[in-house]
Amino acid sequence: MPSVTVDKQDLWDRLGRSYTTEEFDQLCFDFGIELDEDTTNEVNERVKAGLPSERPQLKIDIPANRYDLLCIEGIARGLRVFLNLDKAPVYRLIPPVGGEANMVTLTMTPDVARIRPYFTGVVLRNVKFTPSSYASFIDLQDKLHHNICRRRILVSMGTHDLDTLKPPFTYEALPPQKIEFIPLNKTEKYNAEQLMTLYESDKHLSKYLHIIRDSPVYPVIYDSNRTVASMPPIINSEHSKITLNTRNIFIDVTATDETKLLIVVNILSAMFAEYSEEPFTMEPIIVVSPDGTRKISPDVSPRLVTAHAGYINACTGLDLPSADIAQLLDRMSLSATASPTDPDAISVSIPCTRPDILHECDIMEDAAIAYGFNKLPKTFPAASTVAQPLAISKLCDLVRREWAQAGWVEVLPLILCSHEENFEWLNRKDDGTQVVRLANPKTLEFQVVRTSLLPGLLKTIRENRNHALPMRIFETADVVFKDKSVERQARNERHAAAVWCNKTAGFEMVHGILDRIMQMLEVPRISSADKTASKGYYIAPLEDATYFPGRAATIFYRSPISTSTTSSVLEKVTGNAQWRDAAIGELGVLHPTVLQNFEINFPCSALEFDLTPFEK
């Protein structure tokens, strides 16, 4: 969850009183947030030591979907309403003098559909910033960029001193060589192509360049004098830079996701509309779409929904009338009134700052928070049930117990690995039909979801190569494969795998633990040529680049034809129609190149097979 740092005294001033750390911690818990740290003691120690220090700060953890609490303004506003010190504010759009004819207008050109197709904006008039509120304004933008905006990929915003620009504006998409301006905090003019090179070494902006760098056109916002205001989502212009003396602010928001676009503009404008000359008011703008459609933006009108006292009482175990529930919702900034005609109905007005309210269950949760989770009645469920593990989990526990009792050590590697570890290092080829890739991995170590347990086991041996020999480790866990036949386009398989590492290969060791598990599962060992056995397992020679030539085998499991097998490898169907043989895994001595890839200096034998055919 996001963490917000606020000035302690500033928050006390906004709340109208001081709190001890314990009191404020309890208040945060009651409100549904969490006090993470109070730096007062650290500051006092630095002061006593004669060291420079900042004012005491409070670090508060915020739920990830409460974008309205990502700044001190939102936290203080929400707590004051929760404590019945204020009523929830009503956000309003106030057109300029002269009405729609004098409203700021922005026209979108058709080419923006190729890069960032959505735009909205708003104007805050006669704003009065202090150093702390100005810093909070900048910090909220950064918090939104890293949270709902997904590091500016989905949404980005820019703020400008409107008095330095001349409306109407245009939002265009042009080749980078044709976009020239002085970027924020610079003194020289650059074209957009040069900016990409300039910011490659910038610690802050370099992480956003990939969003538009490979596009033939870049988005840009011009005023009527063809002065650049912004090149979203990278940088604003130095010309329209806001300062403490800025009084009229133009906020531009561009996006690839229209829903999040509307959320961001409402949150940013509503949080800082309290600094306008008339608090909680903002001036709309007119956005002209490429097809000529004119739209007044933003829409800050509340959403009206109907909640039901019966549903809220049933979920919380309470027995409150609708009027009392409405009062609880008022404390959570949800203006609510009980219906005069229906005793079960509650009309709830959801402000533009609460996009987290998606369903009646969200309203119920807010009512429970306002009532107090610790005050909710504790009752036994009406139905008595006994929990039990899944069949596949019971099977895994059996395997883990047997292998552990045999002296093998269980390990728990990560389920993500690099593409090389999953394929090239095992001498395997990616045919593009099996592995699930991460769209934008943070590091090269976490590119794909593993399709085999072997990479994790071998990396464990590599990191413990100074450990005494022999090393015998195992894991029972999920691997993931693409599967277009299911809705989620992927499926999990529960595998068991083990690796033996010693001065000798130890093929017989992994063969032995396979036999032990089959014995515990009451699966007899049979011959592949035996046409009379309806159930059992056997191994057959395997040529696979992962293993040493002539030192590998495929594990086949014979089961009645009615038994469901979900192995990722192809089945080998026998001539008898009453049963079938399915290849469920492999075992063998690992190839020297595989060991070299994982920096292992001793021979290893490995075993891996699918547990799902044995699920009962």
Side-chain angles (χ1 to χ4, degrees):
M1 57 176 61
S3 180
V4 179
T5 301
V6 301
D7 184 277
K8 183 176 181 178
Q9 189 57 50
D10 192 2
L11 184 58
W12 290 173
D13 292 343
R14 290 170 180 267
L15 295 179
R17 57 158 291 191
S18 298
Y19 291 84
T20 65
T21 301
E22 292 74 19
E23 288 174 338
F24 188 68
D25 188 23
Q26 184 60 45
L27 175 60
C28 288
F29 176 82
D30 293 340
F31 185 57
I33 57 181
E34 182 178 351
L35 176 62
D36 183 49
E37 184 181 356
D38 182 350
T39 66
T40 302
N41 291 336
E42 290 84 346
V43 170
N44 290 338
E45 289 176 1
R46 292 183 64 85
V47 171
K48 289 179 182 178
L51 299 173
S53 63
E54 58 182 5
R55 285 155 56 105
Q57 306 288 305
L58 298 173
K59 296 181 181 179
I60 304 172
D61 290 336
I62 305 297
N65 61 347
R66 289 299 302 270
Y67 312 118
D68 58 314
L69 301 178
L70 289 174
C71 58
I72 189 174
E73 290 78 9
I75 294 173
R77 195 179 306 167
L79 288 175
R80 287 187 64 85
V81 175
F82 182 73
L83 295 170
N84 291 318
L85 299 176
D86 287 333
K87 291 291 185 181
V90 177
Y91 303 100
R92 296 180 297 137
L93 295 178
I94 303 295
V97 177
E100 187 173 328
N102 291 335
M103 288 171 59
V104 172
T105 301
L106 181 138
T107 302
M108 301 170 61
T109 63
D111 279 342
V112 298
R114 301 168 61 185
I115 181 70
R116 294 178 80 81
Y118 301 111
F119 182 94
T120 189
V122 68
V123 174
L124 299 180
R125 291 285 184 184
N126 299 315
V127 174
K128 293 183 179 180
F129 275 138
T130 64
S132 60
S133 61
Y134 176 81
S136 180
F137 185 52
I138 302 301
D139 187 59
L140 177 60
Q141 295 176 59
D142 192 52
K143 288 280 194 303
L144 290 171
H145 274 145
H146 281 77
N147 195 312
I148 185 174
C149 301
R150 296 296 186 268
R151 295 183 179 273
R152 306 191 188 184
I153 293 175
L154 300 182
V155 187
S156 68
M157 66 208 85
T159 53
H160 312 276
D161 187 337
L162 184 59
D163 295 330
T164 66
L165 300 169
K166 184 178 180 181
F169 297 96
T170 58
Y171 175 42
E172 307 176 21
L174 300 174
Q177 300 83 359
K178 295 185 178 181
I179 302 172
E180 290 189 351
F181 64 102
I182 301 174
L184 192 64
N185 298 326
K186 299 291 183 183
T187 56
E188 298 179 18
K189 182 179 289 188
Y190 300 86
N191 66 37
E193 193 173 48
Q194 293 170 331
L195 285 176
M196 289 293 151
T197 303
L198 176 67
Y199 289 130
E200 280 180 348
S201 58
D202 188 283
K203 185 177 180 180
H204 176 62
L205 294 176
S206 60
K207 65 186 75 171
Y208 308 122
L209 299 182
H210 70 93
I211 301 174
I212 63 171
R213 185 166 204 162
D214 296 330
S215 172
V217 292
Y218 290 1
V220 60
I221 299 171
Y222 288 105
D223 72 356
S224 60
N225 292 328
R226 300 299 290 175
T227 300
V228 173
S230 175
M231 187 180 76
I234 308 300
I235 193 71
N236 291 340
S237 167
E238 174 70 15
H239 179 83
S240 58
K241 178 181 179 179
I242 66 170
T243 66
L244 283 173
N245 298 320
T246 298
R247 291 293 172 262
N248 299 305
I249 300 174
F250 171 57
I251 300 174
D252 74 77
V253 187
T254 61
T256 58
D257 185 312
E258 188 174 17
T259 300
K260 290 180 172 56
L261 172 91
L262 302 178
I263 292 173
V264 167
V265 71
N266 285 345
I267 293 294
L268 185 60
S269 58
M271 289 302 102
F272 290 90
E274 71 175 63
Y275 298 117
S276 297
E277 189 173 41
E278 187 175 352
F280 308 117
T281 64
M282 52 209 84
E283 181 181 309
I285 70 168
I286 297 175
V287 178
V288 183
S289 300
D291 61 1
T293 305
R294 296 169 64 87
K295 181 172 64 176
I296 294 179
S297 173
D299 180 7
V300 297
S301 58
R303 290 182 291 130
L304 297 178
V305 299
T306 300
H308 301 86
Y311 171 77
I312 294 174
N313 285 327
C315 292
T316 58
L318 300 173
D319 187 20
L320 299 176
S322 57
D324 289 353
I325 295 176
Q327 291 179 0
L328 294 176
L329 295 176
D330 283 341
R331 295 182 60 199
M332 301 302 294
S333 300
L334 303 178
S335 299
T337 54
S339 171
T341 57
D342 185 350
D344 188 52
I346 304 171
S347 178
V348 183
S349 176
I350 302 173
C352 64
T353 54
R354 293 298 305 275
D356 58 297
I357 304 294
L358 303 175
H359 185 272
E360 190 174 2
C361 65
D362 299 312
I363 298 175
M364 175 274 296
E365 181 186 12
D366 270 15
I369 291 173
Y371 185 85
F373 279 142
N374 289 337
K375 298 178 183 177
L376 295 176
K378 299 178 178 66
T379 58
F380 283 101
S384 178
T385 60
V386 178
Q388 61 180 0
L390 297 173
I392 191 66
S393 298
K394 291 178 66 176
L395 177 61
C396 285
D397 288 344
L398 184 148
V399 174
R400 295 167 60 221
R401 183 170 58 251
E402 288 302 320
W403 283 358
Q405 289 174 353
W408 293 66
V409 178
E410 184 177 15
V411 298
L412 296 171
L414 299 175
I415 196 171
L416 299 179
C417 63
S418 72
H419 187 274
E420 279 189 334
E421 292 167 351
N422 199 69
F423 290 103
E424 288 90 336
W425 288 13
L426 293 176
N427 294 338
R428 294 174 177 171
K429 294 184 179 180
D430 180 12
D431 60 6
T433 63
Q434 290 189 338
V435 70
V436 176
R437 292 174 175 266
L438 274 66
N440 188 21
K442 189 174 181 64
T443 70
L444 294 177
E445 291 181 286
F446 308 120
Q447 294 175 307
V448 300
V449 185
R450 63 185 178 184
T451 58
S452 169
L453 300 182
L454 291 184
L457 293 174
L458 294 175
K459 285 194 293 182
T460 301
I461 290 179
R462 179 188 66 194
E463 298 305 321
N464 293 273
R465 53 180 172 264
N466 293 328
H467 195 280
L469 296 176
M471 279 190 276
R472 39 194 175 186
I473 61 175
F474 74 91
E475 181 186 11
T476 60
D478 281 359
V479 295
V480 178
F481 296 94
K482 285 183 180 178
D483 189 346
K484 294 185 179 181
S485 65
V486 295
E487 182 180 5
R488 61 182 179 274
Q489 300 290 295
R491 73 174 190 279
N492 288 29
E493 283 185 10
R494 190 67 59 88
H495 280 201
V499 172
W500 168 279
C501 179
N502 201 2
K503 294 180 180 179
T504 58
F507 179 83
E508 70 279 3
M509 303 303 295
V510 295
H511 197 329
I513 61 169
L514 171 65
D515 290 341
R516 176 57 181 164
I517 286 301
M518 292 301 180
Q519 183 182 20
M520 295 302 301
L521 295 174
E522 299 180 347
V523 179
R525 185 172 181 180
I526 62 174
S527 169
S528 61
D530 186 353
K531 302 301 182 182
T532 60
S534 62
K535 180 180 179 182
Y537 79 100
Y538 62 91
I539 62 175
L542 169 68
E543 291 299 325
D544 189 310
T546 302
Y547 302 98
F548 199 86
R551 294 291 186 271
T554 302
I555 306 167
F556 285 95
Y557 173 57
R558 179 175 295 176
S559 62
I561 201 70
S562 59
T563 302
S564 175
T565 303
T566 58
S567 176
S568 63
V569 292
L570 293 175
E571 294 180 351
K572 172 188 173 185
V573 181
T574 66
N576 193 316
Q578 296 181 352
W579 61 76
R580 62 184 175 184
D581 294 357
I584 62 169
E586 303 167 351
L587 76 161
V589 179
L590 291 174
H591 197 281
T593 58
V594 173
L595 300 177
Q596 184 179 4
N597 290 335
F598 285 94
E599 301 176 21
I600 299 173
N601 299 323
F602 295 98
C604 296
S605 290
L607 159 72
E608 182 172 5
F609 64 97
D610 185 4
L611 287 173
T612 51
F614 306 103
E615 183 179 351
K616 296 180 181 179

